[in-house]
Structures are given as C-alpha cells and as structure tokens.
C-alpha cells in the first residue's frame, strides 16, 4: 500500500513514526533541495549520563526509503546484522 501514496505523504508517515521513537521529529528541507540524504531530524528521548554528568541529547537523522519489496535479508544488510 505504500506505493499508492506520494513520496511526501510517505515522508510524513515516517516522521509521525519517528515521533514515537524520538523527540521533536521534523521533516528536513523541501522537495528539490539538497538534503544530503536527510529527510527527518529529531533528538534522542533520553540524554546520556556518564559518571554523574548528563550530556545533551544526541541528534538523530533519518532517511526515508520506500521499496516495493523488502525482505529479511535486505533488513539484515541494511542494519549490518
């Protein structure tokens, strides 16, 4: 069904999903603008704490990819499992 929606609608859907996992997910840039592969920006939900010192939340960058077919082998290759 994802091939039935526009590329922008797919990016909006991915952004909504990213908001479940990360903080403040936003679409990055505009159509036709050079984005270096970044479609969504966000922040980690939790700041890292090491030895009592809390670091700022890390930036998260997401690239949306819409494939017609994506099998388990493709997933493993994509995340280097």
């Amino acid at each position: 069904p994802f091939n039935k929606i526009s590329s922008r609608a797919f990016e909006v859907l991915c952004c909504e999903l990213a908001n479940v996992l990360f903080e403040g997910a936003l679409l990055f840039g505009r159509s036709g603008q050079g984005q270096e592969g970044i479609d969504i920006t966000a922040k980690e939900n939790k700041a890292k704490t090491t030895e009592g010192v809390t670091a700022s939340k890390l930036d998260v960058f997401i690239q949306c990819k819409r494939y017609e077919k994506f099998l388990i082998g493709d997933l493993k290759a994509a995340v280097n499992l």
Side-chain angles (χ1 to χ4, degrees), residues 5-64:
I5 61 175
S6 70
S7 295
R8 191 61 173 180
F10 182 74
E11 289 177 355
V12 169
L13 172 64
C14 291
C15 191
E16 291 297 320
L17 293 171
N19 268 309
V20 173
L21 299 171
F22 304 107
E23 215 175 83
L26 296 170
L27 291 171
F28 181 74
R30 297 181 308 275
S31 180
Q33 180 183 31
Q35 300 163 297
E36 303 299 321
I38 299 170
D39 295 314
I40 299 169
T41 61
K43 293 273 188 190
E44 283 188 318
N45 282 329
K46 296 181 182 175
K48 301 291 183 198
T49 303
T50 305
E51 298 179 13
V53 177
T54 302
S56 59
K57 296 178 181 181
L58 294 177
D59 293 319
V60 176
F61 302 100
I62 301 168
Q63 184 177 36
C64 302

